[in-house]
């Protein structure tokens, strides 16, 4: 069979001192950490849109990335070549999952009918390749933002005909997810938002969005597709304001419309930081509500105001993320999907491998750091002591809903000024650095 | 009686061509706009903390603003002088409302008991001055952020003793609000947030915050204080992350804890922009949920990353705000409170008047622009046409909850590609400019 | 001759009360303001890349804007159609200038030789159309950022062969500018910057950039092209850091390399705000150095972190800009080039007219406001009083270089604490609002 | 002698596995790295204003930090206690340098004369304590921003009397620097900027600033004070716009006024990031101009818009900084001054030690990482290969100023399209992670 990455063999673990850019230094799939293998913990996934379909174009320039699989003149041949190249990439890299949009794997046709037919053809190939390789579908989703018809939104479009078109695409993709055994299904509202309130009925659009999601829930139930539904927050870009701004906003929206039982969140680092939050914050908010379902593992540039979708190599970021993830007992059926792209000047096809390897190593290290921090209990013990006043007495009464303002005033009058206690932020940050560098 | 602003007489309306900095050019209190007087629409309030207590200090420098009312050596005498100066200011300016924190009008004592006694004394003077002048209390609130005991939060403090102290302050201020006839009561969580997640149990803190608010609701009911409760969102500053990040987050929080029936929002322009939203956005989100209760009328500097609390003079800001406010039938029992301060180099006491006059004129103009836009129906008509597809057929079925994915797919297959329609953003922006400049 | 905008006639001035979206309400070309016609003051120019070549695509979606002139299969036919449509647009809109990149008017060929030949053919048509219509070329420039060869920079590319290619393009465009009578020539360093310092020799790249500019100066001199050279600052996007960050940085760079006598600046509003400055700031900095040459008249969204290139309709922005421009006696030979694009949902071709009309009206109003403020002298008189202490005595000695620290200390010891004086920011802002709304 | 930190002994190096929060884990003063001891490389300095004078107050709250040395009723006694506590802190921590403003060590008096007399008294004690301990003065500076007289600027104040007062303060501090053997003198223009251009003559203010600096140069020469003069850039805060925006702007300013021979830069991490640059960027810009003189070693929070002055613990930040510093052969006579403060909730006096220890460990690790990267040559070799085309042929001609546009065009026509080459950003980032985690 034709190879698209002939110069790259299956990537191996060679350890921290290896100078081979095409080897893992930290990620050792079978190594056990905190009772499970790294592979089981991390559940890595490749993002089809960036890795297979990304061209390196940006608003100021054309495609830069030469790819062996996008040369065929016939779009369906190109789609098939791309899918085969993808599975070669997945297996050489050694990841267990991938994710895609409908339009990533099959080009849109002249009509919805033709688009669906093309999709069917590619899905059937994907099913075969999944079976051949053991690589599974972490999640699929519909692209409701690229086509001009979605310029004013999909489920929140002022035109009901566009809503209907979007519904058709999602209907189809729920069927595809069922067919391919996807364990999750993602909704990212890329154009669900507004550019100016002058032309927008925000309330009516939110109602439509909720109606859309409700129909998706109903349809999945109807066909027996049991994947976890996920909403992926993002505050802006492409629209000026996106309705799914951040974890807190999405949770509020779901609760307002009684949909919170049906959805969890897919948190992306770069989306969190565009919303002026840390990655860890949005993970924590989602997790605190029992709604952290999956993660788009990338990182942004905090000095830039757009989604740079860089590969996650910041070791603080991966360690803090794994603290939250281990803290809730893991992500399954979700996983860590690399919604990340190589820089447009990284024109060597092997840069795709190098970039994923660096990210996988960074998460492997983050996993170990987090596991050690948890195992040693340093942070947990500190927190327990810090909040201990709520474990008994007036604090316990507050938590039990048995205190009222009168009782609390009496307590305050009796006990006088509370004792100041240090928050110890610097000490805790120093400890994190020690663990990051390998404290045993 | 001693005058604190002897050189300033009652501020009068002199019309747009006046060159008197101490006269209104746009705000004509008794003038009717859209069926009500400007005074009734705008419900202006002065913020005690900035206008009476502001000193001009900042993190890099000491107090700059000479004030005749803060010279007494005895703190209670100073408090009384300040209160008298305040009512002189309110009446000369011609506003109907004011707002304060407990610690603004009475200095904190050595103990809670002493603090409360001081407060009682000042409240009784305030009651008399209100009766004498007809100026009312728009809202009051407790300062749960300045004292060192609140360094780690008030209702979200890891120490239950601090929670109790905060509860005592709010209990007292609910009583004060009742006594002074406040029509609203505000919660701004100035330290309810975190600086690092390393030392924070976010979930537990949110639970405590909800418990606190629930007790406040219960206590107000118990004493018969019927003011509208308001939460004021702010995303950050002083803490790195504040739990009441923005309108969407607060609404989600209230719904999560079943508190949404008891609270509305007090939206501040500068807080909205710190959260990366427009003022109009957060007003619209609150209003769309029926939860826009009151407004902190100021403006920030979008190129600076902290709360500059400037007087609102941007005419786009005031016009857009009044569009939302008129659109929901007004703010009462809320109002427009100038949570704004003169720059620290604006050292002339008359600058206090000039600043308020400019803001009142700007809102008066914004009111007229909004009223004319609404009266002419240009924006409303545009919106009605834009969403008309949801008024009948498949769109109406979507809104009625009678459509499902199968029906929508059938519709899409039958009707083919939707027709592109322009969002007309530029045309609408041009229209706003025409109205801003006085189109009749 | 084929018309590309058959439904639009020449745009006329109809005055402030007109409800015709295709008429001017404020811009009256022949009206005199401060001794010159509006047309002479404002020197409006249309940006070929956005208005003629913009497609509405963005990083998340495909082209949305249907254009009658980009349908021909043959790229050179398309280029010719576009050029003819452009001149129809310029003349119907009533602007006197336009601007373009080499690749806007002629598609890049297989080789530099072919690209140049194509350019020659289009330049000759442009020359004819300029002569036919009287529309002139405000400035031209070379596109050194779109082609993949420039992924790592043009003049700052680590590969000298790319430097050579860029030099060839600029050489050609200097010849084109001469041929078409351009009064300015612009350098925008779209890829002159870096994405990571790990792979960048910043010093060497700056040296190369200076060498490049020096060669451009020499070549223009050699061929007798006397246009004003302009550098256009931008801080980031597409690269993480662009060397021409802002006005201050570019002036420093030019002075460091002894190039400041040969260049002025082309200041863009949205680039200034991306650099965390106001538009007025960068205009003022450039003007203070005698280096404000021309303006890219647009506006950004201060809550978004990328270049939105919106049409300038904010009346504060246009008034403040015109204050600086009138303050230095005008922009000629520069002008106001609308480096702005319609939103991608503004799909009606007439939206192009509406957008330009709104911007021209906004600048016409800004011009009148600025002229009245200057004529009344309110700001100037305030400034003169504020700095009066430097007009005599110790202040004059400071300015004359005749004071030293010993003399100043003696003065300070003798005179004691200086008197505080209000900066009067609020009063000045109120005055601006009065003029904005039409104070006579 | 009274001890202010009785519970803390001299801080010792205990190695990476130590769990003692009051021990160094990475900083081993006498350990040799790249030919010098860590102590010689790092030249740590404590910032008097934060560590000794910081109170924990912020714009929303009062002082929180209990300090044994600020209890005396008499301000001069308090100043003396503070100075003694400072030297106890310096010696227990084991740093060789400190920095201060005039008003940090001696309280301002009723008159300039009294202020100077107080300063003399404290300087004489400081001289004795320096001699006793061997701790030296890295730099001193004058506080020209805290007193109300500087509300509108110091050297850029519209009032020449304020300019004179500022000059007197700096004159005195140059004398103090000479007396105490300071090796540098810093100018931070805390109020040298503007809040609104409406009341500002930017050009005149820049002229005054240059005049001021020139007089400082002259006076230092006159008295024989040979310290390196440093300007510290900051873009905003407290003023809206500060003239010393960033490294590039300051260098441009110095060159414009012919002052660049007399000044280098003191680069602060948090100031660089407020200017939308990385720390490494501003260090590199300064170093590329031969003007990197010293470093204010702290870090900010990139999601917050104000100067948080946190202790530098981010290991990427310290490694990248040390790459630039080692790359230019060190900082001497400058050093790494911790312009950083403990969080206001870090109320334990020992938190001051813990915070400095964490920062010193972080820089020690950064030093080792940088030294290893440099020693292995991985980055250098990559750069040399990347720019090799400028070492010969047409590239060398460009650098030598011997190429012109005609020659470059001929070269481009002859050689055709340049070969694409990967920027290898991901590979380089992966390598940095390996070194960060200890690759030998």
């Amino acid at each position: 069979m034709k190879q698209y990455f002939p110069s790259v063999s299956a990537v191996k673990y060679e350890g921290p001192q290896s100078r081979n850019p095409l080897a893992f230094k930290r990620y050792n799939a079978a190594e056990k950490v905190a009772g499970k293998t790294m592979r089981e913990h991390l559940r890595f996934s490749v993002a089809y849109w960036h890795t297979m379909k990304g061209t390196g174009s940006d608003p100021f320039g054309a495609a830069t990335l030469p790819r062996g699989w996008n040369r065929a003149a016939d779009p369906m041949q190109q789609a098939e070549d791309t899918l085969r190249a993808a599975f070669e990439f997945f297996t050489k890299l050694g990841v267990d999952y991938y994710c895609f949009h409908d339009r990533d794997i099959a080009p849109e046709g002249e009509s919805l009918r033709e688009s669906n037919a093309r999709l069917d053809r590619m899905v059937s190939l994907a099913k075969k390749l999944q079976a051949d390789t053991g690589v599974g579908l972490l999640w699929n989703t519909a692209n409701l933002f690229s086509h001009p018809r979605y310029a004013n939104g999909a489920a929140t479009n002022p035109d009901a005909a566009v809503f209907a078109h979007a519904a058709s695409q999602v209907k189809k993709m729920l069927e595809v997810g069922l067919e391919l055994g996807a364990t999750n299904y993602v909704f990212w509202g890329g154009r669900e938002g507004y550019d100016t309130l002058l032309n927008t009925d925000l309330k009516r659009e939110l109602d439509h969005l909720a109606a859309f999601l409700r129909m998706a829930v109903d349809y999945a139930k109807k066909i027996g597709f049991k994947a976890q539904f996920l909403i992926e927050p993002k505050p802006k870009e492409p629209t000026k304001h996106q309705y799914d701004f951040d974890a807190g906003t999405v949770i509020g929206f779901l609760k307002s419309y009684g949909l919170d039982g049906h959805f969890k969140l897919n948190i992306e680092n770069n989306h969190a930081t565009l919303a002026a939050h840390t990655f860890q914050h949005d993970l924590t908010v989602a997790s605190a509500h029992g709604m952290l379902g999956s993660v788009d593992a990338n990182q942004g540039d905090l000095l830039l105001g757009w989604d740079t979708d860089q590969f996650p190599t910041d070791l603080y970021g991966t360690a803090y993320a794994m603290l939250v993830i281990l803290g809730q007992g893991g992500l399954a059926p979700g996983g860590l999907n690399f919604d990340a792209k190589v820089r447009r000047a990284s024109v060597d096809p092997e840069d795709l491998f190098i970039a994923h390897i660096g990210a996988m190593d960074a998460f492997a290290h983050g996993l170990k750091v987090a596991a050690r921090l948890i195992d040693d209990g340093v942070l947990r013990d500190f927190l327990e002591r810090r909040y201990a006043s709520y474990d008994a007495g007036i604090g316990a009464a507050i938590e039990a809903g048995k205190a009222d303002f009168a009782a609390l005033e009496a307590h305050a009058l009796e006990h006088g000024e509370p004792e100041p206690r240090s928050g110890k932020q610097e000490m805790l940050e120093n400890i994190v650095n020690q663990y990051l560098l390998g404290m045993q």
Side-chain angles (χ1 to χ4, degrees), chain A:
Chain A
M1 184 145 60
K2 179 177 160 88
Q3 292 229 3
Y4 292 92
F5 303 95
S7 66
V8 182
S9 322
V11 178
K12 293 203 171 58
Y13 172 74
E14 295 186 0
Q17 300 299 327
S18 166
R19 290 189 179 267
N20 175 4
L22 288 166
F24 294 117
K25 287 91 189 172
R26 302 274 161 183
Y27 179 63
N28 188 1
E31 183 181 335
K32 285 221 170 178
V33 177
K36 284 195 283 191
T37 63
M38 285 194 177
R39 156 175 256 149
E40 287 164 324
H41 276 295
L42 296 169
R43 301 173 59 80
F44 290 128
S45 161
V46 169
Y48 206 92
W49 50 100
H50 282 314
T51 297
M52 305 315 299
K53 301 292 289 181
T55 64
S57 72
D58 72 11
F60 296 85
T64 54
L65 304 175
R67 298 296 183 228
W69 52 87
N70 66 6
R71 293 182 188 157
D74 172 51
M76 286 303 288
Q77 182 60 48
Q78 205 183 105
E80 187 181 324
D81 293 348
T82 304
L83 198 57
R84 292 190 187 278
F87 277 81
E88 181 189 341
F89 184 80
F90 306 154
T91 47
K92 285 187 169 173
L93 184 61
V95 296
D96 293 331
Y97 300 99
Y98 73 118
C99 298
F100 66 83
H101 302 85
D102 43 5
R103 302 309 176 231
D104 295 330
I105 63 162
E108 188 146 8
E110 288 298 302
S111 67
L112 184 55
R113 223 176 291 272
E114 187 190 357
S115 298
N116 286 349
R118 287 175 164 195
L119 197 50
D120 287 337
R121 203 172 119 198
M122 295 311 302
V123 164
S124 122
L125 177 59
K127 192 168 183 179
K128 180 184 175 305
L129 292 169
Q130 289 184 197
D132 291 352
T133 60
V135 173
L137 183 56
L138 186 67
W139 49 262
N140 62 325
T141 184
N143 179 331
L144 304 178
F145 47 90
S146 292
H147 193 280
R149 83 174 68 87
Y150 297 124
N152 292 299
T156 62
N157 198 292
D159 183 353
V162 177
F163 183 106
H165 202 104
S168 313
Q169 266 187 255
V170 173
K171 173 176 177 292
K172 181 69 185 173
M173 281 304 271
L174 295 175
E175 297 159 5
V176 165
L178 179 63
E179 174 74 8
L180 294 180
T183 47
N184 303 271
Y185 184 87
V186 165
F187 294 83
W188 174 58
R191 304 265 179 204
E192 313 296 17
Y194 64 79
D195 283 314
T196 173
L197 283 169
L198 289 173
N199 69 12
T200 303
D201 186 333
L202 178 142
K203 178 62 167 60
R204 208 168 180 179
E205 294 201 355
L206 289 176
D207 289 347
H208 296 171
L209 181 56
F212 191 92
L213 295 175
R214 200 169 288 118
M215 291 183 213
V217 169
D218 291 345
Y219 190 71
K221 193 174 172 190
K222 185 170 150 189
I223 64 173
F225 181 40
K226 295 184 193 315
Q228 174 64 51
F229 274 18
L230 299 169
I231 292 184
E232 178 174 324
K234 188 180 181 187
K236 52 191 165 188
E237 200 203 23
T239 74
K240 172 186 172 49
H241 177 84
Q242 309 225 162
Y243 294 131
D244 297 332
F245 191 83
D246 59 5
T249 304
V250 172
I251 292 168
F253 167 81
L254 291 170
K255 287 187 183 279
S256 291
Y257 287 96
L259 289 163
D260 47 311
H262 301 288
F263 291 84
K264 289 188 173 180
L265 303 188
N266 183 41
I267 298 297
E268 175 172 328
N269 187 345
N270 206 157
H271 292 183
T273 54
L274 283 172
H277 303 306
T278 57
F279 183 24
Q280 194 190 5
H281 172 81
D282 252 27
L283 291 171
T284 302
V285 167
S287 187
H289 285 83
M291 291 171 78
L292 174 58
S294 200
V295 168
D296 264 18
N298 64 11
Q299 69 188 32
D301 185 319
L302 273 70
L303 296 171
L304 299 179
W306 64 92
D307 203 8
T308 63
D309 278 349
Q310 291 173 254
F311 278 88
T313 56
D314 182 285
L315 298 169
Y316 293 99
T318 59
Y320 285 133
M322 292 312 301
L323 267 176
V324 182
I325 291 167
L326 288 183
Q328 73 164 22
L331 275 180
L336 295 172
N337 175 52
F338 292 119
D339 189 1
K341 60 186 175 193
V342 292
R343 302 303 86 196
R344 77 189 287 272
S346 295
V347 296
D348 298 342
E350 70 164 31
D351 289 331
L352 282 176
F353 281 93
I354 291 171
H356 281 84
I357 287 167
M360 292 164 79
D361 277 341
F363 264 98
H365 188 67
L367 166 64
K368 283 189 160 180
V369 170
R372 261 188 249 121
L373 276 165
I374 290 172
D375 193 46
D376 284 4
V378 277
L379 299 175
R380 186 195 56 229
D381 294 351
F382 179 86
L383 284 181
E384 284 179 2
R385 282 194 308 276
R386 195 170 194 230
Y387 293 87
S389 65
Y390 289 94
D391 296 333
I394 191 74
I398 291 166
E399 291 204 341
K402 292 182 182 156
D404 63 14
F405 271 10
L408 289 161
E409 186 187 49
H411 185 275
L413 287 169
E414 183 188 342
H415 290 81
E417 194 57 39
E419 197 69 23
R421 283 181 54 205
S422 173
K424 291 300 202 198
Q425 180 167 336
E426 295 83 2
M427 186 193 74
L428 296 166
E429 289 170 347
N430 292 355
I431 289 173
V432 168
N433 265 358
Q434 280 191 274
Y435 279 81
L436 195 83
L437 294 183
M439 163 162 280
Q440 297 305 333

